[in-house]
Amino acid sequence: IAGITQAPTSQILAAGRRMTLRCTQDMRHNAMYWYRQDLGLGLRLIHYSNTAGTTGKGEVPDGYSVSRANTDDFPLTLASAVPSQTSVYFCASSPSGGAGGDTQYFGPGTRLTVL
Amino acid sequence: GQNIDQPTEMTATEGAIVQINCTYQTSGFNGLFWYQQHAGEAPTFLSYNVLDGLEEKGRFSSFLSRSKGYSYLLLKELQMKDSASYLCAVREGDYKLSFGAGTTVTVRA
């Protein structure tokens, strides 16, 4: 079934540990995105990638890094997790990254708790 | 940057109509999206407006006024399954979407 997968589904992590959230899409979309969703704040963009090989910073990039080695995969890494990074993380992709009604499609999310 | 405002919560009765308003301020408007998000699930696309006017899709309609920085999502013939959060999102420039905090709609029998 075409779509976006994320792993893990949920994770409890000790502060200071390194963690990589995985995201894979099989729709051959050019653009991919990482958001975090916190109660009362809505979805906030962390990083994005317009096409394989390029990345950009979103609204809340500090403490996170991404890479886009190929079209399908867009991992998000927390180098040294802190409790304020406790959140639900959504990966999304879109076909062209901006033209017209380019729609973003979301993965199922990863619930991360940092203690 | 931009400011996107929508009500936090709304409650309506099954079969009724509910209108969710969204106001925004942006320097480079390039489209407005509405997403639906059920509790514990991913957001799913509902509608897109880039020109002024009304877009209708079955029971759901979305309206945009660019000069007023205003949009609304209209849900008609409400069903229990419509209980969800509704997210207003504005595209500024080419790629980035900025989301409002969402409106939680509760449909009562």
Side-chain angles (χ1 to χ4, degrees):
Chain A
I1 297 176
I4 303 177
T5 58
Q6 293 185 235
T9 302
S10 65
Q11 181 75 43
I12 298 174
L13 189 67
R17 298 296 296 269
R18 180 184 179 89
M19 176 74 192
T20 295
L21 307 185
R22 299 184 299 278
C23 175
T24 300
Q25 54 103 359
D26 62 3
M27 298 177 283
R28 308 303 294 172
H29 284 174
N30 284 322
M32 297 186 75
Y33 314 83
W34 273 106
Y35 293 89
R36 59 178 289 173
Q37 187 173 38
D38 303 289
L39 196 63
L41 294 178
L43 286 158
R44 292 181 292 168
L45 183 66
I46 304 170
H47 285 286
Y48 66 96
S49 169
N50 301 337
T51 188
T54 68
T55 61
K57 293 181 180 180
E59 181 184 356
V60 288
D62 294 343
Y64 305 95
S65 63
V66 291
S67 61
R68 186 90 184 275
N70 57 60
T71 297
D72 299 343
D73 301 300
F74 191 43
L76 176 74
T77 297
L78 289 67
S80 180
V82 295
S84 62
Q85 292 177 311
T86 294
S87 187
V88 180
Y89 291 85
F90 286 101
C91 179
S93 71
S94 65
S96 62
D102 185 57
T103 299
Q104 293 186 18
Y105 298 90
F106 286 80
T110 293
R111 184 175 296 275
L112 182 67
T113 302
V114 183
L115 301 175
Chain B
Q2 51 199 295
N3 211 359
I4 301 171
D5 291 314
Q6 50 182 130
T8 304
E9 295 179 333
M10 301 182 75
T11 301
T13 305
E14 199 173 13
I17 297 173
V18 69
Q19 178 175 314
I20 306 169
N21 296 324
C22 172
T23 58
Y24 63 89
Q25 295 175 312
T26 181
S27 55
F29 179 82
N30 192 20
L32 187 143
F33 295 78
W34 284 96
Y35 281 81
Q36 181 189 58
Q37 185 177 25
H38 285 101
E41 297 183 7
T44 56
F45 169 75
L46 283 180
S47 69
Y48 166 73
N49 296 73
V50 68
L51 300 176
D52 290 352
L54 189 68
E55 294 283 340
E56 297 187 83
K57 274 189 183 180
R59 294 188 299 114
F60 293 1
S61 303
S62 57
F63 171 83
L64 175 67
S65 169
R66 290 171 297 170
S67 63
K68 295 181 180 178
Y70 168 71
S71 172
Y72 68 72
L73 179 69
L74 195 69
L75 287 62
K76 294 177 274 191
E77 300 170 17
L78 277 174
Q79 301 176 8
M80 298 300 288
K81 67 179 182 180
D82 297 330
S83 291
S85 285
Y86 292 85
L87 314 179
C88 174
V90 175
R91 170 174 286 137
E92 185 177 36
D94 286 339
Y95 299 100
K96 301 175 187 178
L97 277 185
S98 292
F99 284 82
T103 300
T104 300
V105 172
T106 302
V107 180
R108 299 176 305 187

